[in-house]
Amino acid sequence: MRRKIFGAVAAGALGISGLVALGAPNAAATQDAQPVEYSFTSGFLKGFFKAGEAPPGANDWGCRPSAEHPQPVVLVHGTLENMNDNWRGAAPLLANNGYCVFAFNYGADDESSAVQGTGAMKTSAAKLGTFVDKVRAATGAAEVDLVGHSQGGGPMPRHYLKNDPSAAGKVAKLIGITPSNHGTTLSGITELGRALHILEPANDLLTKTSPALVEQEIGSDFNKELDAGGDTVPGVDYTVIASKYDEVVTPYTNSYLTAGPGATVKNIRVQDACAKDLTDHLEAAYDPISLTYVLNALDPAHPRPVTCQTVLPLTGPTGPVK
């Protein structure tokens, strides 16, 4: 299949304003607990222009993992996002629950740029590997757990795990929130581009400026190479958290993975537990239901109940987080 254009809708959506939802469901309350954002719009507005700053709860380089949570968590942001606007929900929530949490920027020439994650994914995967080694050295942990959104929860870290020989034995879990694992049609925009014969010129431009957008299209050369030989690598536990209302990764089932030898995969659709959860691609990283699944994937021995409530696209829960 010919390569198709990806990313315009997500870029436009990043400018939408909305409501604020704060709280800390499923979090162990402490005197030092950080406020947790559950609205993408609120998190975006607070973090977009502070891309060089870590989100609350992240990058305490003196943190040492506990016996209860021995793996530090590395947060990997998505395309067109940065570590601050993507993780103002997950970072404080995980820190409040006793995890050592770390985040970084990738995929841009300037690490302080508001828009990240557009560079070639092979280059970004190498940067992820460097950051994983930095976290392991600082914390003394043999392995880390990766929690990522979109590109950062799917094809980019999968490339690191599959193609970097030094990655073996360094990652215990990969938890992807609405990951673009097998490419996207972007709600049919790519098909329209083909029909109008503007697809290839657009892709030629994007390849020069933002190659990660093209690489995440269904049938891209990057996807073909990544998927050859299977979705997983031995020794890693994979969790995929998807939403049927994802308008960026389409069809949303392209997020799902199939386990190969020596790996486990759990594919989750949030609406199976809560039909009132209308989270879209961007809100998914702030959705309290998605984040409960993240906590459960990180610590499956102590699962937390998934509390159903109405969650709207972009703006989050309609009432207090339960």
Side-chain angles (χ1 to χ4, degrees), residues 222-277:
F222 183 91
N223 263 138
K224 291 176 181 176
E225 178 184 345
L226 180 62
D227 292 344
D231 293 346
T232 63
V233 299
V236 178
D237 295 331
Y238 297 79
T239 300
V240 171
I241 302 166
S243 171
K244 72 177 183 179
Y245 300 111
D246 192 330
E247 77 285 22
V248 174
V249 177
T250 56
Y252 73 88
T253 51
N254 275 16
S255 289
Y256 293 159
L257 296 173
T258 300
T264 63
V265 170
K266 186 172 185 179
N267 292 313
I268 299 168
R269 187 177 72 165
V270 295
Q271 287 78 27
D272 290 342
C274 182
K276 295 189 291 185
D277 189 348

Side-chain angles (χ1 to χ4, degrees), residues 62-298:
C63 185
R64 295 296 178 267
S66 65
E68 292 77 16
H69 305 306
Q71 278 91 241
V73 177
V74 173
L75 300 174
V76 191
H77 65 74
T79 309
L80 304 173
E81 297 179 296
N82 63 61
M83 64 175 170
N84 203 337
D85 67 36
N86 204 163
W87 297 122
R88 297 182 73 89
L93 178 63
L94 293 174
N96 291 347
N97 277 274
Y99 290 89
C100 293
V101 184
F102 299 90
F104 71 112
N105 285 330
Y106 70 88
D109 292 335
D110 184 350
E111 291 190 9
S112 65
S113 295
V115 176
Q116 300 278 330
T118 60
M121 284 194 275
K122 291 181 180 179
T123 302
S124 296
K127 187 167 185 179
L128 170 60
T130 299
F131 192 76
V132 166
D133 287 341
K134 180 180 179 180
V135 170
R136 291 173 61 248
T139 61
E143 294 181 307
V144 305
D145 291 332
L146 303 179
V147 176
H149 178 228
S150 194
Q151 175 193 162
M156 191 275 274
R158 285 177 56 219
H159 184 276
Y160 162 64
L161 292 171
K162 179 178 180 180
N163 295 291
D164 186 341
S166 72
K170 294 180 180 178
V171 176
K173 302 176 188 294
L174 171 58
I175 302 167
I177 303 171
T178 56
S180 52
N181 275 313
H182 299 301
T184 178
T185 69
L186 198 62
S187 294
I189 289 177
T190 59
E191 300 304 318
L192 179 62
R194 291 185 65 188
L196 296 177
H197 305 290
I198 59 174
L199 190 58
E200 291 304 324
N203 270 347
D204 289 342
L205 176 62
L206 284 173
T207 298
K208 297 175 183 177
T209 60
S210 304
L213 303 183
V214 178
E215 290 171 344
Q216 290 174 88
E217 300 165 357
I218 288 178
S220 71
D221 291 342
F222 183 91
N223 263 138
K224 291 176 181 176
E225 178 184 345
L226 180 62
D227 292 344
D231 293 346
T232 63
V233 299
V236 178
D237 295 331
Y238 297 79
T239 300
V240 171
I241 302 166
S243 171
K244 72 177 183 179
Y245 300 111
D246 192 330
E247 77 285 22
V248 174
V249 177
T250 56
Y252 73 88
T253 51
N254 275 16
S255 289
Y256 293 159
L257 296 173
T258 300
T264 63
V265 170
K266 186 172 185 179
N267 292 313
I268 299 168
R269 187 177 72 165
V270 295
Q271 287 78 27
D272 290 342
C274 182
K276 295 189 291 185
D277 189 348
L278 309 180
T279 188
D280 66 321
H281 186 79
L282 295 174
E283 173 61 26
Y286 284 87
D287 173 22
I289 295 169
S290 296
L291 293 178
T292 299
Y293 280 121
V294 170
L295 288 169
N296 288 345
L298 290 171

